[in-house]
Amino acid sequence: MSEDRRNLIGYGGRPPRIAWPNGAKVAVSFVINFEEGGEFSVADGDERNELVHEAIDDVGALPDPCTESHFGYGTRAAWWRIAGVFDRYGAKATVSSCGRAAERSPWLVQDAVARGHEVSCHGWRWQRHAGMDEDAEREVIARTYDTIAAACGVPPVGWHTRSASSLNTRRLLVDHGGFLYDSDAYDDDLPYFVEVTGRRHLVLPYAFDTNDMRFRPGGAFVHGDDFSRYVLAAYDWLVGEADEAPRMMSVGLHLRTIGRPGRIAGLETILRTISQSGTAWIARRDAIARHFIEEMEG
């Protein structure tokens, strides 16, 4: 039997006892997904419209200004509201940006950098990479990297594919050479290293449960405090486990979702509670990645 390509044991119940800065028990990563303008749209010449949003009404091959307007709320109104909440608590996030979103609204990623946030790569379009031709995927990765670097004046070091990556994605990221980490994994509460074509590469797992995507139809979150209660319950549990070894928690946000006035208080509750707990290190993903590497090499 050939060697199993999947690692199903991870740290085997013995996670490394790394030290987060200032004795923090949990490194908390807020990821603000910036996808507005990167979604599929027949009006933009795409073969279809995006179907993942709050008002699901498939108009087929016709232009869909309704869906475009839902996405447009994220840049026109929500970004400023979300950025203001982070500013109030002095918290830094990672803005995971589609390349075409950054190309269409460079002012947003520039504002994010000016506020001290990281801007990372979220694909060129808001699309999965599963089944993508290898040469096409290589071009997508390079185009996304170059566009974000040009818009921000700072080269990105992180990557996260929307949903399913391809079997080539991680190797292509390593071959590119500009990426410190990727987040195409959901399988741990700590970063970990993998070997890719003989080279060491860092994975910072992401999460779909501590994520505002659950406000979408069928996703279980309705009120802002549904989100905050769930995230804070996860945080409290990880703090309890940190006596054994520190942990990491990812909180996923989307401009057009958490930025609505009926939900934003949930984010503020999370930031206020965690920042005042004395047990959290709220940090950009690039900072977490670099600190983890230093700890593991020290």
Side-chain angles (χ1 to χ4, degrees):
M1 180 180 295
S2 62
E3 182 180 352
D4 195 333
R5 62 179 176 78
R6 297 173 64 189
N7 179 349
L8 296 176
I9 192 169
Y11 288 117
R14 296 182 296 276
R17 297 187 63 86
I18 57 174
W20 297 131
N22 301 316
K25 294 188 174 184
V26 181
V28 182
S29 164
F30 288 89
V31 178
I32 305 171
N33 292 282
F34 174 33
E35 301 152 346
E36 289 73 7
E39 78 278 8
F40 283 91
S41 171
V42 169
D44 277 340
D46 297 326
E47 69 276 11
R48 64 176 178 84
N49 294 306
E50 181 55 58
L51 294 177
V52 179
H53 54 100
E54 294 191 48
I56 301 174
D57 185 15
D58 186 0
V59 298
L62 299 173
D64 187 358
C66 174
T67 297
E68 289 188 340
S69 184
H70 277 277
F71 276 80
Y73 186 86
T75 51
R76 292 169 61 97
W79 165 252
W80 310 106
R81 185 173 291 135
I82 295 167
V85 172
F86 275 90
D87 284 351
R88 279 199 291 278
Y89 293 94
K92 306 306 178 186
T94 291
V95 177
S96 185
S97 175
C98 292
R100 197 173 80 159
E103 182 181 64
R104 298 181 97 157
S105 301
W107 56 267
L108 194 149
V109 292
Q110 290 162 5
D111 186 59
V113 170
R115 294 174 189 261
H117 303 302
E118 173 194 12
V119 178
S120 64
C121 296
H122 195 28
W124 177 250
R125 306 296 301 277
W126 192 46
Q127 67 182 136
R128 62 178 60 91
H129 280 209
M132 190 179 288
D133 174 80
E134 181 173 339
D135 289 338
E137 186 173 16
R138 182 181 294 107
E139 181 179 349
V140 162
I141 290 170
R143 186 180 186 187
T144 304
Y145 179 95
D146 292 344
T147 298
I148 291 176
C152 296
V154 180
V157 297
W159 176 277
H160 182 218
T161 309
R162 175 198 173 176
S163 301
S165 57
S166 80
L167 294 178
N168 300 316
T169 304
R170 185 162 288 156
R171 173 173 54 80
L172 292 174
L173 294 173
V174 172
D175 288 347
H176 179 277
F179 294 96
L180 178 67
Y181 71 88
D182 77 67
S183 295
D184 286 349
Y186 311 85
D187 53 3
D188 215 308
D189 297 310
L190 275 176
Y192 59 85
F193 293 111
V194 293
E195 184 176 304
V196 182
T197 60
R199 289 166 286 185
R200 190 182 71 169
H201 177 69
L202 185 64
V203 177
L204 267 66
Y206 190 54
F208 280 173
D209 66 322
T210 48
N211 194 306
D212 71 359
M213 65 189 287
R214 297 180 64 199
F215 280 112
R216 294 173 191 158
F221 291 164
V222 177
H223 304 288
D225 61 359
D226 294 333
F227 182 42
S228 59
R229 286 175 60 196
Y230 188 94
V231 171
L232 291 175
Y235 178 75
D236 287 344
W237 191 272
L238 292 174
V239 168
E241 290 185 343
D243 289 337
E244 173 194 7
R247 298 291 198 266
M248 173 184 168
M249 182 176 78
S250 295
V251 181
L253 308 170
H254 299 76
L255 299 182
R256 62 195 178 277
T257 304
I258 199 63
R260 290 284 177 175
R263 298 169 178 160
I264 192 70
L267 173 61
E268 183 164 43
T269 296
I270 294 167
L271 277 167
R272 181 180 65 249
T273 304
I274 289 178
S275 63
Q276 293 176 355
S277 68
T279 53
W281 177 41
I282 301 175
R284 302 162 24 147
R285 289 178 95 73
D286 59 345
I288 294 173
R290 292 189 172 99
H291 185 85
F292 183 83
I293 291 170
E294 290 175 0
E295 285 286 309
M296 295 298 285
E297 291 180 344

